[in-house]
Amino acid sequence: MSDRFTPVLPVRYRAAAERDVTEDSDLLLRGEKAMTERQTGGQMLWKLEGNGRTLHLRHHDSDPWRPYEELPQYALPDPEGFSKGITTFLALLKQGWTVTKT
């Protein structure tokens, strides 16, 4: 079985996802431009924290998982109502990072 999967927005976020996201899209585009100079490749993992999920990152299998906020070179602001790290997740996914589940 492959460790890669395609993320799907949970049902509770659909209402937020269906609103006008012009501002959020602009934020994501600015984040993608800022990330073009950063190291490419790495792994992403969603971990449960409290009532939601938070994005965790690492560059190599031997590295410990770290909350995305601890890596300011990657952390981007999130739209209101979404999981912590969703903007960073989408930008890194486009940069070639992989998603794992454990």
Side-chain angles (χ1 to χ4, degrees):
M1 177 187 284
S2 174
D3 286 338
R4 298 186 78 174
F5 66 96
T6 303
V8 176
L9 285 177
V11 173
R12 66 184 175 162
Y13 294 136
R14 285 189 187 154
E18 291 171 355
R19 74 182 193 287
D20 179 16
V21 293
T22 304
E23 181 179 320
D24 298 339
S25 298
D26 291 343
L27 178 65
L28 180 59
L29 290 173
R30 286 194 306 273
E32 288 174 0
K33 288 178 186 174
M35 286 193 178
T36 56
E37 299 293 322
R38 297 190 180 104
Q39 178 177 343
T40 58
Q43 299 173 335
M44 301 182 285
L45 171 73
W46 290 101
K47 288 188 177 184
L48 286 175
E49 288 188 355
N51 293 332
R53 295 175 186 262
T54 301
L55 182 65
H56 286 67
L57 307 172
R58 68 181 181 186
H59 288 114
H60 306 284
D61 290 338
S62 59
D63 295 338
W65 289 106
R66 296 172 57 192
Y68 79 104
E69 296 113 324
E70 290 183 12
L71 299 163
Q73 70 271 32
Y74 301 113
L76 299 171
D78 296 308
E80 189 175 325
F82 286 84
S83 296
K84 289 177 63 176
I86 190 67
T87 306
T88 302
F89 172 82
L90 294 171
L92 290 175
L93 195 60
K94 288 184 177 186
Q95 294 290 321
W97 286 53
T98 60
V99 182
T100 63
K101 55 183 177 178
T102 49

